[in-house]
């Protein structure tokens, strides 16, 4: 429920957001599924550095927006191959994250929610609204963690203390952000907090 009408795919060169007008895509494409995409008839765009693939586009002023592949058609373009392939996240620091990492699974070690974002819900589940929470690392670098109001864990409370976070790196507007797949992607850190400064 935290990733809506979207697949995030990656290989060794980077990641792409695939927009699809369908929900519960994780049932057919669970994490660790290898796929092939037939590109003929699809459109690719750049949304503030986030590469997107979709079924159509529209022009809004000076902006070109990529629209999702229609539900009745997406299986014609996206062919599922193997499943249960381990996906190794890219170990990286907040300051190193850039648009070359969008739609990739990343791992940040020794990060914590800032004090005002500890022991509060991840999202506004009753109102179905997303919320942003801020993570900080040993060097004081910060990044947003965005959680949908539809996320199955949205009403869980954010933990205190240093954690290792595995998440998908995305860009919304000019905001760099992380999107959790589920709460199992919040783990104990690997070691003590060591500054890179």
């Amino acid at each position: 429920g935290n990733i809506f009408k979207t697949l995030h795919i990656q290989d060794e060169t980077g990641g792409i957001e695939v927009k699809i007008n369908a929900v519960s895509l994780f049932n057919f494409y669970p994490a660790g599924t290898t796929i092939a995409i037939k590109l003929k008839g699809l459109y690719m765009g750049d949304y503030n550095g986030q590469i997107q693939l979709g079924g159509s586009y529209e022009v809004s002023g000076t902006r070109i927006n990529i629209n999702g592949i229609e539900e009745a058609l997406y299986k014609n373009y996206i062919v599922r191959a193997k499943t249960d392939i381990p996906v190794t996240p890219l170990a990286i620091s907040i300051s190193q994250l850039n648009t070359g990492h969008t739609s990739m699974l990343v791992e940040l070690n020794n990060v914590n929610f800032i004090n005002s974002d500890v022991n509060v819900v991840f999202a506004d589940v009753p109102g179905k609204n997303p919320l942003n929470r801020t993570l900080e690392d040993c060097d004081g670098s910060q990044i947003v963690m965005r959680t949908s109001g539809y996320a199955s864990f949205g009403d869980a409370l954010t933990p205190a203390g240093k954690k290792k976070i595995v998440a998908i790196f995305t860009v919304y507007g000019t905001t760099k952000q992380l999107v959790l797949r589920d709460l199992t992607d919040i783990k104990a850190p690997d070691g003590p907090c060591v500054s890179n400064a």
Side-chain angles (χ1 to χ4, degrees):
N2 201 31
I3 301 169
F4 186 64
K5 295 187 175 182
T6 300
L7 292 178
H8 291 275
I9 62 171
Q10 70 178 70
D11 64 11
E12 65 280 358
T13 65
I16 295 176
E17 178 184 58
V18 183
K19 300 181 76 173
I20 302 171
N21 289 333
V23 296
S24 300
L25 293 166
F26 61 88
N27 289 319
F28 194 70
Y29 304 108
T33 300
T34 57
I35 62 171
I37 299 181
K38 300 175 183 178
L39 293 174
K40 186 174 182 180
L42 298 181
Y43 296 86
M44 184 175 283
D46 181 337
Y47 180 72
N48 292 317
Q50 178 137 343
I51 303 301
Q52 298 178 326
L53 188 66
S56 63
Y57 71 92
E58 60 187 42
V59 178
S60 175
T62 59
R63 184 174 206 87
I64 298 175
N65 297 316
I66 300 295
N67 299 316
I69 304 167
E70 293 304 326
E71 184 170 10
L73 300 174
Y74 75 88
K75 289 181 183 177
N76 296 335
Y77 292 104
I78 305 171
V79 180
R80 184 174 63 171
K82 298 178 182 177
T83 58
D84 298 322
I85 306 299
V87 181
T88 303
L90 173 67
I92 197 166
S93 68
I94 292 173
S95 62
Q96 292 172 322
L97 285 168
N98 60 59
T99 54
H101 302 113
T102 57
S103 291
M104 293 184 72
L105 192 65
V106 299
E107 177 184 281
L108 304 177
N109 195 36
N110 281 305
V111 294
N112 58 271
F113 290 95
I114 61 172
N115 289 339
S116 59
D117 284 343
V118 171
N119 204 32
V120 294
V121 293
F122 280 89
D124 173 17
V125 173
K128 300 297 184 192
N129 294 312
L131 290 177
N132 290 345
R133 301 299 182 200
T134 301
L135 290 168
E136 187 173 53
D137 68 11
C138 302
D139 296 323
S141 296
Q142 295 185 343
I143 191 168
V144 166
M145 175 175 283
R146 187 169 179 84
T147 305
S148 166
Y150 292 89
S152 59
F153 58 87
D155 56 359
L157 299 181
T158 56
K162 295 294 182 188
K163 303 294 178 190
K164 177 166 65 174
I165 304 268
V166 174
I168 298 169
F169 176 62
T170 66
V171 178
Y172 182 77
T174 59
T175 302
K176 296 177 180 180
Q177 59 187 22
L178 298 174
V179 178
L180 278 179
R181 298 176 299 176
D182 58 49
L183 290 182
T184 62
D185 282 339
I186 299 179
K187 310 170 191 298
D190 284 339
C193 193
V194 178
S195 174
N196 294 324

